[in-house]
Amino acid sequence: MHKVCVIMLLGCTVLLLACPTSGQGNLGAITGTVLDTSGAVVPDAALTITNVETNVKWTAKTSSAGYYRVAVPPGRYRLEAEKQGFKTEVAESVLVPVAQVVTVDLTLQVGNQSQRVEVTSQTPLLTPSTAEVSSAVSAQEFETLPIEVGDGGRQLQTFIFTSLPGTVGDTFSGSINGGQLFSHEILIDGVTIGRYDLSGGSLDEFSPGTDSIAEFKVQMSNYSAEYGETGGGIANFVYKSGTNQFHGTLFEYNKNPVFNAAGTVVNANPGTPKDNEKENNFGGTIGGPIRKDHTFFFFNYEGDRFRSFALAGFMTLPTPAMKNGDFGSWLGAQVGTDALGRSVFKNEIYDPTTTRNVTAGQVDPVTGLTANADTIIRDPFNSGGNLNVIPAAEFSNASSVLLPLIPDPQIAKNTNNTLRLSGCCPILSRNAYTAKIDHVLTSKQKLWGSFTWNHRDRYNRNNSRTFEPFPGQPINPVKRQIVGGPQVRIAHSWTISSRSVNEFSVGYNRFQNKNNITDNAKFTPQLGIPGVPDDCFPPLRFTGHNPVPPLFGVGCKNIDPSESYIYQDTFSYLRGKHGLKFGGEFRRYRYNTYEPGALSGDFTFTDRETSLPGFTTTTGHPFASFILGAVDKGNRAVYTTAPGYRAGLFAFFAQDDFKATPKLTLNLGLRWEIPLPQKEVLNRESGFDPTVPNPGADNIPGALVFLGSCQTCIHRNSFQDWYFKEFGPRIGLAYQFYKNLVFRGGYGISYGPPIENNFGSQNLFGFNSGVLLVKGTSPTGFPQDPVTYLSTLKSASLPAKAQVGVPAFTGTLPNRDPASANGQSLDFMPRNAAAQPYAQNWSAGFQYQLPREVLLQADYVGSKGTRLLNGYFGFWYNQVPSKYMALGDILADNLATDLADPVNGPILASFGITKLPYPDFDLNNYDNSVAAALQPFPQYSGLVNNYPTIGNSTYHSLQLMARKRTAHGSPTPIALYMPRAVRSSKIFITARQRRPLPASTTPRF
């Protein structure tokens, strides 16, 4: 707390020391120099900038150097310059795109101030006042260029990753200028969307309506110090606002097979149905004045309804006969004989309740047959003289509840008898609402705010295992996912004087992510599985040599809301040739996760439980094992801790846009970011400390540790140390050689945000647990027997020692024993994890304006990523050093045995291996092999670094772009992109893994 107070005090001091314009976030700026006809500068010229659609005004004065710079929201403006003894100069139709600096130089003529000299000004194609490499998409372009409908609507980032140079990937997993996937920043109305789980790809499921967006800009390199928390670029979106005129739109995009041609396949195969995918994307906007020239409103709604039940081949469902216990149609040719001389047939099913030992030469008391070998046998199922039929008395009471719910196959055969469904999401419904209010408080103060609510509801499926009818729960493994939530932005602008402006803004984001939403739990009490609570439905898994559906049911729901609070302030001041900006930002992340796992159990059925020992690859059937309730393996989660993670950062910046000469502008800035160490709200986190003695391994270093103040705790509230070295310099220059030629170049460093870059819970060992049902540990004493039965049988008896249901959990939670993780894999947060990945960006290039309003732009853009997240190596923290790979097969040997071996002992000694890692290793370690002993921490089977910032990347590209101003005044881009990327990093975590971004040298148009 003391450090936080010191940081806040330091930040306030930095802001107060700033001497009293470009705003922050989405604001653009109009800048330039006011001269007289002799070329001398005109100081203290009064400037009035008027939005032509709302009549809202901004006022300023030129500095002593005749320089001005005024921050304004995106829009079309009229610029007026007045000075006693000069005619009033008026520049009409100045278009300011989002976050873009527009240069308009004015020349005042001697005369009466009441006289007006009007010029029609178009937004300059050249940008001689900034070194920023960016691509802006105007309101006209955004409205007219096609954006495909998909995944619940028209995705806002589609145009970025399909058209703009420097981009690779797609709207969910894209990269900007060589950055890692998901690493770019997304701003809406100047405020980040601020998700804690992931960054740049997170807009797909959290998107406002497309028609609520006026325009956007992708800032790729050399951006101002006011921007940060990005490992690539910045996607900067701005909402539409109301004007003095009422405007409204309605739209409907409809896709329906009724409107489609039949196609070649359908024409060639009469009766084949056409594609059945249907989608309606619809909505509208309305905006206008509440009080003319003062208060304006805008509202947008977008909805999407998607249905697709395309087919993707065949899968296998159990036949009606199988559901009645009759597997006679599966019986194949003889594959051998058992120890009692009985014939064994392919796919023959055996009764696990009859498992017993027989001795060679002795009579089996059950059958009266003499055994010819010492082995384990079972009796085949036989009902009414029919082989391969399970008697009704041996049906499990639990399985009998579910059998009627399994649909019959569509084709009367044993395998590939049902069409499976294709794709991810057959049913999707989305609603997005956006409202914005702009209000002029006084001539010097303006206030605006926006609110967006997004709700996205869909059914997810796996294309290899779902079937009709849909959703068909609880049998069909279909889950419902509901995501979305509110986004709030409020901003206040205060023109303190003719040369100073302050803007304060706050933002709030909440992204709710609910998965596995079903009502399947209503079936669980009917199953009557002992030891299983009724919280949810237990997933039932199938595997074996005969085809079956791999999964019935989807388990328990997950709820993972992510919240962020953002506070920003920017103070701008014009002094001589300097446009100064000072500002700060505070972000607070909250991430509460409820991912309980298999509260009501998770059970796997294989053919092993109904096979004949010794013939497990040719006999038995997983579905027969299910009918008996004979479980091969399983588990039940014990979930007592739903963690709440907290993180955040402070950021401070200073920026000087210095008009050094009429041709040279320098963009100089420094940003300082201070990540807050990640915490759990009640210190419910565990981790790994390589220096703490492990009492379960003769006190060798490396043990489980806990936050907090308990006896075995480390007396800290975070595993991360404070990190104060995230300084990001920004240096850029723009030099205008001629009226139509500009050189621009620069260098900068930016840091990633301190977020999880993952989904779900971390660092919780010891707080939650479970009951394991381990394959081969049946209490009957026969490893081939079921580890447990779901329930009793209809009327038949189970073996006396057979286990039914799930045993009670007998442990204690939380378990803060430092040795309790021994022999297991342990995840942890390293102490240096607050130091975020960072990217160095640089560029150099030219802009050249041709006649007929054509701009050519060529830029070399490069970047180097350092401390990048690399999940692949994070998993191998406890890997055996590669130098020991030369030991070959010796690695699998028992270490104690080999140390005493006259042949292998000297070989081990040549590698420096002369003793056990600790005295009790051979008897106490999870594995007593040579390989286990050579792990850095042999007491653990694995160690997972949850924040492995050990990757790096380099990126070089040539980016060529041509822009032609069209008749409506907006430049349209054509781009050529030639990148080269080299990485030693993996990109994104899915189950703490990252996907690599492939390098490319292919030109992109």
Side-chain angles (χ1 to χ4, degrees):
M1 184 64 187
H2 174 70
K3 289 185 177 179
V4 173
C5 294
V6 170
I7 292 168
M8 294 184 69
L9 180 60
L10 178 59
C12 292
T13 303
V14 170
L15 295 179
L16 290 172
L17 288 176
C19 299
T21 304
S22 168
Q24 66 183 53
N26 65 318
L27 296 188
I30 303 175
T31 188
T33 304
V34 179
L35 306 172
D36 62 19
T37 53
S38 69
V41 299
V42 180
D44 293 319
L47 301 170
T48 302
I49 300 173
T50 305
N51 186 303
V52 297
E53 294 180 319
T54 63
N55 208 35
V56 175
K57 294 177 171 57
W58 284 258
T59 59
K61 285 187 178 182
T62 58
S63 69
S64 58
Y67 177 58
Y68 75 94
R69 189 180 182 99
V70 182
V72 292
R76 193 174 296 274
Y77 292 89
R78 180 174 62 253
L79 170 61
E80 301 176 51
E82 298 178 316
K83 176 73 173 181
Q84 187 69 32
F86 295 91
K87 297 178 183 179
T88 299
E89 182 88 3
V90 181
E92 296 282 359
S93 194
V94 178
L95 180 64
V96 179
V98 56
Q100 186 154 319
V101 179
V102 177
T103 302
V104 180
D105 294 325
L106 299 174
T107 301
L108 300 186
Q109 301 177 22
V110 176
N112 193 312
Q113 190 173 347
S114 62
Q115 294 177 290
R116 297 169 65 88
V117 178
E118 296 189 7
V119 295
T120 300
S121 174
Q122 290 185 320
T123 301
L125 292 173
L126 296 173
T127 55
S129 298
T130 176
E132 180 181 273
V133 178
S134 60
S135 295
V137 176
S138 69
Q140 292 88 346
E141 289 174 313
F142 193 63
E143 289 180 0
T144 56
L145 292 173
I147 298 178
E148 64 178 328
V149 176
D151 199 23
R154 294 169 291 160
Q155 294 297 335
L156 293 179
Q157 296 192 95
T158 298
F159 187 77
I160 296 174
F161 292 102
T162 56
S163 303
L164 297 185
T167 64
V168 174
D170 55 40
T171 60
F172 183 66
S173 56
S175 165
I176 296 178
N177 273 359
Q180 287 189 285
L181 302 184
F182 300 91
S183 67
H184 67 278
E185 173 73 300
I186 299 175
L187 304 179
I188 296 182
D189 255 13
V191 177
T192 178
I193 65 172
R195 278 178 58 175
Y196 182 66
D197 47 5
L198 71 158
S199 182
S202 54
L203 189 59
D204 275 19
E205 297 178 328
F206 200 32
S207 177
T210 306
D211 280 3
S212 68
I213 300 298
E215 54 187 295
F216 70 90
K217 180 182 183 182
V218 181
Q219 298 160 265
M220 299 180 177
S221 186
N222 299 335
Y223 31 80
S224 165
E226 64 191 290
Y227 299 103
E229 289 72 63
T230 175
I234 299 158
N236 201 333
F237 297 88
V238 60
Y239 285 132
K240 292 177 180 176
S241 292
T243 67
N244 273 331
Q245 302 295 323
F246 285 100
H247 295 279
T249 63
L250 292 173
F251 71 90
E252 159 76 17
Y253 297 92
N254 182 266
K255 179 180 181 180
N256 194 302
V258 172
F259 306 126
N260 298 342
T264 303
V265 175
V266 175
N267 289 335
N269 301 274
T272 302
K274 292 193 291 185
D275 175 19
N276 66 3
E277 184 173 295
K278 302 176 183 179
E279 184 164 14
N280 278 22
N281 182 249
F282 54 92
T285 68
I286 186 170
I290 297 175
R291 179 187 174 196
K292 201 167 184 179
D293 295 346
H294 283 80
T295 309
F296 313 90
F297 79 95
F298 174 82
F299 176 78
N300 166 251
Y301 166 75
E302 181 175 329
D304 194 89
R305 305 293 184 267
F306 176 83
R307 301 290 185 273
S308 176
F309 291 92
L311 302 174
F314 290 92
M315 62 176 291
T316 299
L317 283 177
T319 65
M322 293 167 63
K323 289 187 286 184
N324 287 318
D326 186 351
F327 290 77
S329 61
W330 284 85
L331 204 60
Q334 183 175 343
V335 293
T337 58
D338 67 5
L340 298 179
R342 297 176 296 185
S343 297
V344 178
F345 299 96
K346 183 177 178 60
N347 297 328
E348 191 169 10
I349 57 175
Y350 286 80
D351 186 351
T353 67
T354 64
T355 307
R356 60 191 183 276
N357 288 308
V358 293
T359 304
Q362 295 186 9
V363 175
D364 171 35
V366 177
T367 62
L369 300 174
T370 301
N372 57 30
D374 295 341
T375 190
I376 300 172
I377 64 166
R378 286 172 176 162
D379 296 329
F381 273 114
N382 189 310
S383 179
N386 296 314
L387 196 62
N388 245 32
V389 177
I390 301 173
E394 294 205 39
F395 276 44
S396 163
N397 285 305
S399 301
S400 297
V401 174
L402 300 176
L403 289 172
L405 304 178
I406 302 173
D408 292 337
Q410 299 162 344
I411 304 171
K413 61 176 186 175
N414 283 345
T415 62
N416 293 329
N417 53 21
T418 297
L419 288 166
R420 63 182 173 88
L421 299 172
S422 173
C424 152
C425 312
I427 300 176
L428 187 150
S429 176
R430 172 176 169 260
N431 296 290
Y433 308 84
T434 296
K436 184 175 182 180
I437 297 290
D438 295 84
H439 179 61
V440 179
L441 294 170
T442 68
S443 61
K444 293 187 176 183
Q445 298 192 61
K446 301 172 180 67
L447 181 70
W448 57 92
S450 62
F451 176 82
T452 291
W453 179 273
N454 191 300
H455 183 270
R456 174 185 166 107
D457 187 346
R458 69 179 181 179
Y459 283 90
N460 291 357
R461 66 181 175 215
N462 182 290
N463 63 4
S464 67
R465 61 194 183 195
T466 53
F467 42 86
E468 294 181 329
F470 190 89
Q473 296 172 330
I475 300 301
N476 222 353
V478 175
K479 66 179 182 179
R480 185 180 179 190
Q481 181 191 36
I482 300 175
V483 301
Q487 299 172 358
V488 180
R489 280 98 176 92
I490 300 174
H492 175 264
S493 177
W494 175 26
T495 303
I496 301 171
S497 71
S498 60
R499 294 194 182 97
S500 59
V501 177
N502 190 83
E503 183 185 275
F504 174 75
S505 58
V506 297
Y508 170 74
N509 307 282
R510 179 180 173 87
F511 178 77
Q512 177 62 277
N513 189 355
K514 297 180 180 179
N515 264 301
N516 286 12
I517 305 300
T518 74
D519 61 353
N520 294 349
K522 65 185 180 184
F523 295 96
T524 307
Q526 303 173 41
L527 303 180
I529 303 173
V532 168
D534 300 333
D535 298 276
C536 42
F537 185 83
L540 307 171
R541 306 178 190 276
F542 299 85
T543 182
H545 66 271
N546 286 315
V548 284
L551 177 66
F552 287 161
V554 294
C556 298
K557 65 181 178 182
N558 298 333
I559 302 176
D560 299 320
S562 171
E563 291 182 300
S564 58
Y565 302 81
I566 299 94
Y567 308 89
Q568 302 174 152
D569 192 84
T570 297
F571 177 78
S572 304
Y573 180 67
L574 189 65
R575 184 184 182 91
K577 295 181 179 182
H578 300 270
L580 303 171
K581 291 180 292 182
F582 303 89
E585 177 182 3
F586 174 65
R587 294 190 188 185
R588 184 66 171 169
Y589 297 102
R590 291 165 48 94
Y591 187 44
N592 299 326
T593 69
Y594 175 81
E595 297 188 347
L599 289 177
S600 297
D602 187 317
F603 305 102
T604 296
F605 303 91
T606 73
D607 40 28
R608 167 188 167 96
E609 282 63 48
T610 49
S611 67
L612 178 65
F615 292 85
T616 55
T617 61
T618 54
T619 61
H621 197 288
F623 195 72
S625 300
F626 166 70
I627 289 177
L628 300 170
V631 176
D632 180 72
K633 61 182 178 181
N635 68 87
R636 178 177 73 82
V638 178
Y639 192 77
T640 63
T641 299
Y645 300 107
R646 304 293 183 264
L649 67 86
F650 293 98
F652 311 101
F653 74 89
Q655 178 77 24
D656 182 7
D657 295 305
F658 174 34
K659 189 75 171 179
T661 72
K663 292 186 175 183
L664 175 64
T665 300
L666 300 177
N667 308 125
L668 308 174
L670 178 65
R671 186 177 181 89
W672 182 30
E673 296 175 5
I674 306 171
L676 302 180
Q678 180 262 4
K679 301 178 182 180
E680 200 284 326
V681 66
L682 296 176
N683 289 333
R684 296 171 299 182
E685 280 192 294
S686 60
F688 167 74
D689 190 320
T691 65
V692 172
N694 191 311
D698 294 331
N699 289 319
I700 64 173
L704 178 68
V705 292
F706 297 85
L707 295 180
S709 301
C710 66
Q711 183 178 356
T712 56
C713 294
I714 61 174
H715 303 282
R716 291 169 56 108
N717 60 8
S718 175
F719 284 111
Q720 297 179 355
D721 292 331
W722 284 85
Y723 187 74
F724 297 99
K725 298 181 181 180
E726 291 192 359
F727 291 96
R730 312 288 168 84
I731 303 170
L733 67 88
Y735 187 83
Q736 190 165 14
F737 286 97
Y738 307 107
K739 183 178 181 180
N740 60 348
L741 177 64
V742 175
F743 170 80
R744 306 181 309 149
Y747 169 86
I749 297 177
S750 58
Y751 295 84
I755 62 176
E756 184 174 325
N757 287 290
N758 204 338
F759 302 113
S761 303
Q762 296 179 333
N763 314 320
L764 279 182
F765 195 99
F767 291 94
N768 297 313
S769 188
V771 178
L772 293 180
L773 300 170
V774 181
K775 175 181 178 178
T777 60
S778 172
T780 63
F782 295 105
Q784 299 87 349
D785 274 358
V787 65
T788 192
Y789 288 84
L790 292 182
S791 66
T792 57
L793 306 181
K794 282 291 187 181
S795 57
S797 298
L798 292 172
K801 294 183 179 180
Q803 180 169 272
V804 178
V806 181
F809 176 70
T810 57
T812 301
L813 293 176
N815 179 7
R816 292 190 171 93
D817 179 359
S820 60
N822 287 10
Q824 303 184 55
S825 183
L826 176 63
D827 69 313
F828 68 96
M829 182 70 70
R831 293 280 291 266
N832 65 352
Q836 298 304 308
Y838 69 93
Q840 301 174 71
N841 299 280
W842 58 86
S843 69
F846 291 90
Q847 291 181 329
Y848 186 75
Q849 185 167 339
L850 296 171
R852 300 184 182 275
E853 299 294 323
V854 175
L855 175 71
L856 298 180
Q857 180 172 322
D859 291 292
Y860 157 66
V861 179
S863 69
K864 183 182 187 306
T866 306
R867 285 204 308 251
L868 302 181
L869 290 167
N870 192 316
Y872 178 82
F873 289 110
F875 266 86
W876 298 108
Y877 188 86
N878 202 31
Q879 175 73 354
V880 175
S882 58
K883 67 180 181 180
Y884 296 116
M885 295 301 102
L887 289 170
D889 292 343
I890 293 178
L891 290 169
D893 292 351
N894 178 279
L895 176 60
T897 301
D898 275 11
L899 286 173
D901 186 87
V903 176
N904 289 342
I907 296 175
L908 292 175
S910 69
F911 283 85
I913 307 168
T914 59
K915 62 180 181 178
L916 300 176
Y918 59 93
D920 206 24
F921 173 82
D922 193 45
L923 299 176
N924 189 44
N925 210 62
Y926 78 98
D927 182 356
N928 55 19
S929 69
V930 174
L934 294 176
Q935 292 176 292
F937 300 94
Q939 63 270 39
Y940 296 106
S941 61
L943 291 169
V944 180
N945 181 345
N946 282 332
Y947 215 76
T949 51
I950 52 179
N952 62 80
S953 69
T954 55
Y955 167 87
H956 306 278
S957 71
L958 172 63
Q959 299 178 14
L960 305 178
M961 179 180 291
R963 284 183 175 268
K964 172 71 173 75
R965 194 191 305 278
T966 58
H968 54 64
S970 177
T972 298
I974 300 174
L976 172 64
Y977 169 45
M978 300 183 67
R980 180 63 184 171
V982 180
R983 284 186 175 81
S984 69
S985 64
K986 302 291 180 179
I987 306 300
F988 170 58
I989 311 169
T990 302
R992 302 193 182 92
Q993 296 279 8
R994 278 90 166 173
R995 294 203 303 268
L997 178 64
S1000 170
T1001 56
T1002 305
R1004 175 175 174 182
F1005 295 88

